[in-house]
Amino acid sequence: MLQIENTLFTIVMLAYFAAMILYFTFIGVQKEPIAKAAVSLQCAGFALHTAALVCRGIGAGRLPLTNQYEFATCFAWGLCLVCLVFVFRYRFTVLGAFAAPVIFLIIGYAAMQSREVRELMPALRSNWLGFHVSTAIIAYGAFGVSFVLSVIFLLRDRIKAGGFLDHHIPNREKLDAISYRSVSLGLLFLTFTIVTGAIWAERAWGSYWSWDPKETWSLVTWIVYAIYLHLRIRRGWQGRSAAVFAAVGFICVMFTYIGVNTLLPGVHSYA
Amino acid sequence: MTAIKKIWKFISSMRFAIILLAVLAAACTAGSLVTQGQDYAWYARRYSERTAALILALRLDDAFHSWWFILISAFLCVNLLLCSVLRLPQLIRRTKAAADPRAALRAPDGALAEGLSDPRPVFRRLRMPAPVESSTDDGRRALFAAKNRAGFWGAWICHLGILLLIAGFGLGQMTQKQYAVYGVPGQSRPIGDTGCVLRIDDFRVDLREDDTVAQYTADITVFGPSGEGGTGSSATVSVNNPASLFGMKFYQNSTGWAATVSVAEKGAPLQEEIVCAGEYLLVADKPDLAICFNAFYPDYVMTPGSRPATASGRLNNPAYLYSVYYREQMIGMNVLMADEELTIDDYTVTFSKPQNYTLIQVKADRFTPLALLGGLITMLGLLLALYVLPASVWAVQTGDGSWTLHGASRKGGALFREQVLRAAQAERTAPEKGDKNDASD
Ligand code: HEM
């Protein structure tokens, strides 16, 4: 099974890479059918990615959500999932083009991690782990999409009016609204992540909140996006400022994900 | 406006909330960047003496329990409480107004679609409830429907949840009791100052084939304040499966090695005690003399650097690292194998029967359920605030009998208007039994 996963993982990386190239070609040569091909390829890559994760789950005899490699590949999967949902829901192909490099970067990061399947320490053997990490994957995916949307928003002003890209990117108001939807999704799931994590910590360690750096940083991220929501209600804070804020929020997400593990000590050092 | 009124308004404002949240995030960042709970010497070594003094002065060594952190949290609670109470009437009004066609019909919003012969199917496509008949101020027929009014309450419920969460956490921090009890099977130990006693009946470490630990399991019996004479309650606790007894929660926390240390004086047995690694034993008739059981190696090997180590977790070649203290001065330290004896003047010391002890963490926090409730309410509130977006749609009949269609959603904004537009278009191109997919969101 793990052998199959290995092969699938390589194919998935190639598929994501090819989809990215197709997306770029679409923007370069401005032909609709290429966009369709890019989206289809990304969908195919996503399907194979799902199969790869299932294989790893079966091969390891547990949910594949417990070390840096597994979480990184799941992060790419979550980002791809949320991206595709937004591409179809808001008929926004160009989002796929901007998200593709980020997805590729994250799966590339996964490829650099050790793929060894290690047995779990007792504290990790809990059903809450599944809820905790799977909600985190959706949250991170949604924040990733909101980051990509912010970048698009900030670049939007430089796009020639009436041109090809102008036609394919929603207007500022709609872009802002879509970005709000992605932050909403992310914040909701981050809340689920923190609450399920707290319930699990209470069962495993006897303390539902102990200010461990990963916990603290997920709280900081949560607060940053809560501020984003409040600022949006205030006049003058939609649009550009909100986009900048959402991009900063994603830096917190990435710090929570990678920075905390590499720079700060704590009980989350395994994931 | 008087100064007091101004302050009052500020304290209950969302602007203050945003400032507090930003300060809280900064405080958390500081607390996570500075390693917590160390002393002056540690910080001085890590940073500089000046920085160390600053860290201690600002209480950054225990940021999350510092007076300023508690102050920020308290302000946040006051702010949330005031804002929730003060906004309640407005919220009720807004919820009521959203169901009232007159307010919508007076709104200056432009029409999203015109020339519809029958708007009702569009309402259905948008998953709106059946529209009610109404009329505009100038007497034209109108249809109106509002949905998702529960969404107005999302933020309010979310704020209430956060308040309960902070209250539950804060009260828990102030009142909770925590104890650590450890021992080997057969031993009974008092649980702190509760008067209760914990007896360890059995303890197992399940190893996998590759020597990694699969699970730690302890069978325990707890006796109430009347002691071991009374009736006890038994439970099995393992990692991730705590037990609740006598209003306390028992967690299998960690484990280590213990051994039986026997002391003989001139060949006659003097004393025998179970000692956990890290603890010491005072010789019964010579308390100036202490034997410390420093560490245990179940599968003893000497590393190339001449350091003692263990090759596995299995009891293949047990060895004990000990040190001897006389009047609190260390006079010797070495490794003793299972069949060896340590001789100090008239005394001989042996280590035997290595076994795992278990550390059971005992915790009593009556406010955990309150914090949990707060967390669940926060989740529910967020779900309502972010995913149940209030929206209204209305149609007005024009002079020629056709209808114009309007729609508004405070948070759905551009996306909702587009949906209304799309639904109207879909109804034009494929009237009546058109597919309903476009009505999603
Ligand atoms: C960590 C703390 C907080 C969180 C997570 C939070 C969450 C939220 C959410 C999700 C919304 C809805 C936003 C939207 O619909 O886009 C909201 C709105 C709001 N919040 Fe907070 N909030 C927090 C603290 C506060 C505090 C301390 C105040 C105190 C005044 C406050 C005042 C408001 C107000 C006035 C609204 C507007 C409500 C509306 O328009 O319906 N929030 N908050």
Side-chain angles (χ1 to χ4, degrees), chain B residues 317-339:
Chain B
N317 185 26
Y320 309 83
L321 179 70
Y322 70 86
S323 47
V324 181
Y325 288 81
Y326 183 68
R327 297 206 168 140
E328 298 187 2
Q329 291 285 323
M330 187 163 81
I331 55 172
M333 183 175 200
N334 210 339
V335 172
L336 203 65
M337 304 307 292
D339 51 359

Side-chain angles (χ1 to χ4, degrees), chain B residues 31-352:
Chain B
S32 75
L33 296 181
V34 176
T35 306
Q36 300 287 289
Q38 305 296 328
D39 59 9
Y40 176 79
W42 193 94
Y43 293 117
R45 228 180 308 124
R46 174 81 192 264
Y47 307 104
S48 69
E49 295 201 350
R50 244 219 199 138
T51 317
L54 193 68
I55 286 174
L56 293 192
L58 295 177
R59 306 255 7 118
L60 276 171
D61 59 317
D62 191 15
F64 302 109
H65 305 101
S66 66
W67 62 267
W68 47 266
F69 196 86
I70 293 168
L71 191 71
I72 302 169
S73 313
F75 267 126
L76 192 68
C77 287
V78 171
N79 176 230
L80 267 173
L81 193 67
L82 285 181
C83 140
S84 302
V85 173
L86 295 180
R87 280 169 38 88
L88 198 55
Q90 183 194 343
L91 199 55
I92 295 170
R93 243 181 291 130
R94 189 187 289 167
T95 316
K96 276 193 188 142
D100 182 1
R102 282 168 306 178
L105 291 171
R106 284 193 195 123
D109 257 1
L112 294 170
E114 290 174 345
L116 288 167
S117 53
D118 178 13
R120 284 175 197 272
V122 185
F123 280 85
R124 279 199 292 276
R125 278 174 191 273
L126 288 165
R127 301 216 181 116
M128 302 299 291
V132 291
E133 284 270 354
S134 184
S135 63
T136 61
D137 285 346
D138 55 10
R140 285 177 295 154
R141 258 185 87 199
L143 291 172
F144 173 87
K147 69 172 177 184
N148 293 347
R149 284 190 302 144
F152 284 121
W153 289 83
W156 196 86
I157 293 172
C158 169
H159 296 149
L160 178 75
I162 294 171
L163 262 176
L164 290 180
L165 187 63
I166 299 179
F169 183 72
L171 289 170
Q173 294 277 305
M174 283 190 278
T175 58
Q176 73 184 12
K177 294 246 160 63
Q178 265 194 89
Y179 314 96
V181 180
Y182 58 94
V184 296
Q187 286 185 322
S188 296
R189 296 278 171 105
I191 304 174
D193 53 5
T194 59
C196 299
V197 171
L198 186 147
R199 189 179 72 207
I200 295 152
D201 298 319
D202 191 17
F203 178 58
R204 302 174 292 280
V205 178
D206 304 327
L207 293 181
R208 302 192 189 91
E209 279 179 8
D210 64 357
D211 254 11
T212 56
V213 177
Q215 184 57 287
Y216 304 101
T217 310
D219 295 331
I220 57 170
T221 303
V222 177
F223 299 92
S226 55
E228 260 188 285
T231 48
S233 299
S234 298
T236 297
V237 293
S238 56
V239 179
N240 268 313
N241 299 298
S244 292
L245 301 167
F246 292 98
M248 294 176 280
K249 239 171 150 176
F250 295 79
Y251 299 85
Q252 169 57 48
N253 183 286
S254 57
T255 178
W257 287 95
T260 304
V261 182
S262 315
V263 184
E265 190 176 7
K266 292 183 183 152
L270 173 69
Q271 165 184 22
E272 192 173 274
E273 277 181 33
I274 295 172
V275 181
C276 296
E279 287 191 324
Y280 55 87
L281 166 146
L282 297 179
V283 173
D285 61 354
K286 194 169 185 164
D288 281 347
L289 187 64
I291 317 287
C292 182
F293 174 21
N294 295 85
F296 178 70
Y297 308 98
D299 195 355
Y300 178 70
V301 286
M302 191 72 102
T303 63
S306 290
R307 282 172 175 273
T310 189
S312 73
R314 296 178 197 272
L315 278 173
N316 293 336
N317 185 26
Y320 309 83
L321 179 70
Y322 70 86
S323 47
V324 181
Y325 288 81
Y326 183 68
R327 297 206 168 140
E328 298 187 2
Q329 291 285 323
M330 187 163 81
I331 55 172
M333 183 175 200
N334 210 339
V335 172
L336 203 65
M337 304 307 292
D339 51 359
E340 287 180 335
E341 281 182 355
L342 160 69
T343 308
I344 313 159
D345 297 337
D346 292 344
Y347 301 98
T348 47
V349 181
T350 52
F351 288 76
S352 61

Side-chain angles (χ1 to χ4, degrees), chain A residues 87-156:
Chain A
V87 163
F88 285 111
R89 193 181 187 107
Y90 301 113
R91 304 173 190 195
F92 188 1
T93 316
V94 175
L95 172 64
F98 279 83
V102 185
I103 296 172
F104 187 68
L105 219 72
I106 297 172
I107 200 149
Y109 174 75
M112 292 188 301
Q113 308 294 318
S114 158
R115 283 188 223 175
E116 186 192 356
V117 173
R118 252 178 285 149
E119 295 288 357
L120 295 188
M121 58 190 270
L124 288 184
R125 295 178 28 160
S126 162
N127 288 336
W128 286 103
L129 171 82
F131 295 119
H132 178 57
V133 187
S134 52
T135 49
I137 287 163
I138 303 295
Y140 280 29
F143 288 138
V145 165
S146 78
F147 169 74
V148 173
L149 285 164
S150 298
V151 172
I152 298 177
F153 191 97
L154 296 174
L155 291 177
R156 182 134 201 12

